[in-house]
Amino acid sequence: MVRLSFLLASSWGKGVITTMLAQQLLNGIALGFIYILIAVGLTMIYGILKLLHFAHGVIYMVGAFAAMIGIMYLHMHFLVALLFAMVISALAGMAIERFAYRPLRGSHPITTLISGIGISIFLENLFQILFTSDTRPFPQAGIDVTVVQITETISLPNTKLFIIIAGILALGLLYAFLRFTKLGVAIQAAAQDIRAASLMGVNVNRVISATFMLGSALASVGGVLVALTYNSIFPTMGTIPGLKAFCVVVLGGLGSIPGTVVGGLILGIVEALSDGFLSGMVIDKDAIAFVILIAILMVRPSGLFGKNIEKV
């Protein structure tokens, strides 16, 4: 009887652990796609300009606030507000490139890095003046937040499913754009050798502006969906996700889009598993990204998919 009870308890424990593992894996995949949506733009910008775009996390926040304005003041449906946020963020990204980075092109990398940090601080403070620094709920418009029961024991909010679907769709569209459009081929050419692409007749300024716009639009999708999922929005919401996106880019390999996808999923799954199984540990889950970054840099300085000649 004792042995039977032990076996039943052991089986029950294994079932609970398996359920928790599957649940946290789904949560981690959803979180990973958020990081991917932010980091893909950083990867593309670095691939062309070899520039660490530190204002990219602010674009994530700008998209969320643009969607909020569209819903609350322009009475848009959520999907229309999402498209509106993508347009506003794309224009903001283009403006940042035009006025903060283009005049400094060819300068020392530290100069452009400081310019990006300055723009980030300026926009965060501007939004704090306009909307205060308080956290506010994100308006619901046409989207009911419900729980989707995947199995009897595994469930997921429909907003996290939207994140996964949006991430997969965005990656598919990005691949088609880069592979089958003239501008996409020009972006790839500039990423390989920007000077040679210019000599071959590619309009480099147009390509760089398009890259900033595309990356900013993808980041805004992540910001809007996160604001909807967690029902909160505030001016500094892009700071930590922006820093983690840098970790994803370095983890996957600077300039590598496949590496960014793999790095984002790894970071999201590791964070979700640590949150589910290691709650109360000394290291906060937000610090795990940086612990992973340090470990990867010690073993493989160029990242998982980076070229051996690249050093972080």
Side-chain angles (χ1 to χ4, degrees):
M1 291 292 293
V2 174
R3 185 179 179 184
L4 179 60
S5 299
F6 174 78
L7 290 174
L8 288 174
S10 177
S11 300
W12 179 83
K14 289 180 180 179
V16 171
I17 292 175
T18 302
T19 300
M20 288 182 61
L21 180 61
Q23 182 70 65
Q24 294 305 324
L25 282 175
L26 281 175
N27 291 332
I29 290 171
L31 184 59
F33 273 110
I34 289 296
Y35 296 148
I36 290 169
L37 286 170
I38 307 172
V40 163
L42 290 176
T43 299
M44 294 174 62
I45 291 167
Y46 182 86
I48 294 178
L49 292 177
K50 302 300 182 283
L51 168 69
L52 294 176
H53 177 31
F54 260 93
H56 199 61
V58 177
I59 298 296
Y60 168 93
M61 175 270 295
V62 169
F65 272 91
M68 182 198 73
I69 292 171
I71 293 171
M72 291 184 62
Y73 302 107
L74 302 179
H75 308 292
M76 295 178 177
H77 186 275
F78 175 79
L79 294 178
V80 179
L82 178 60
L83 294 175
F84 175 72
M86 293 175 67
V87 171
I88 296 298
S89 297
L91 293 175
M94 182 181 67
I96 289 173
E97 186 277 327
R98 177 65 182 84
F99 298 106
Y101 292 134
R102 189 178 298 182
L104 301 175
R105 196 178 298 168
S107 303
H108 195 279
I110 294 297
T111 305
T112 55
L113 182 67
I114 292 173
S115 178
I117 294 173
I119 287 293
S120 176
I121 294 172
F122 168 75
L123 288 176
E124 282 188 357
N125 282 273
L126 176 63
F127 274 75
Q128 288 179 6
I129 292 172
L130 295 175
F131 299 99
T132 75
S133 59
D134 298 333
T135 300
R136 62 178 65 201
F138 187 79
Q140 310 295 308
I143 299 291
D144 294 326
V145 180
T146 59
V147 175
V148 178
Q149 203 69 31
I150 298 174
T151 66
E152 292 183 0
T153 55
I154 300 174
S155 61
L156 202 68
N158 61 341
T159 51
K160 290 189 176 182
L161 287 177
F162 296 157
I163 290 171
I164 295 173
I165 294 170
I168 295 173
L169 184 62
L171 290 175
L173 292 175
L174 178 63
Y175 173 80
F177 173 78
L178 294 176
R179 182 72 176 81
F180 300 111
T181 67
K182 187 176 180 179
L183 182 57
V185 173
I187 290 174
Q188 293 184 72
Q192 290 181 9
D193 191 325
I194 190 170
R195 185 179 179 184
S198 177
L199 292 174
M200 295 299 293
V202 174
N203 188 332
V204 172
N205 287 332
R206 180 169 173 261
V207 166
I208 293 172
S209 293
T211 303
F212 270 83
M213 293 178 71
L214 186 59
S216 299
L218 292 177
S220 72
V221 174
V224 173
L225 292 177
V226 166
L228 176 68
T229 300
Y230 297 100
N231 193 29
S232 65
I233 183 173
F234 50 96
T236 57
M237 63 181 289
T239 303
I240 296 299
L243 291 175
K244 289 183 180 180
F246 277 107
C247 293
V248 167
V249 171
V250 176
L251 172 62
L254 292 170
S256 171
I257 292 179
T260 297
V261 175
V262 174
L265 291 175
I266 289 174
L267 181 58
I269 290 172
V270 169
E271 280 195 13
L273 291 177
S274 65
D275 192 29
F277 292 96
L278 300 176
S279 57
M281 61 181 178
V282 176
I283 301 177
D284 186 76
K285 71 180 183 68
D286 286 334
I288 289 177
F290 306 102
V291 173
I292 294 175
L293 176 63
I294 293 170
I296 289 294
L297 291 180
M298 292 174 63
V299 177
R300 186 174 173 80
S302 58
L304 296 176
F305 289 77
K307 297 179 182 178
N308 292 330
I309 59 172
E310 292 180 345
K311 300 297 179 184
V312 179

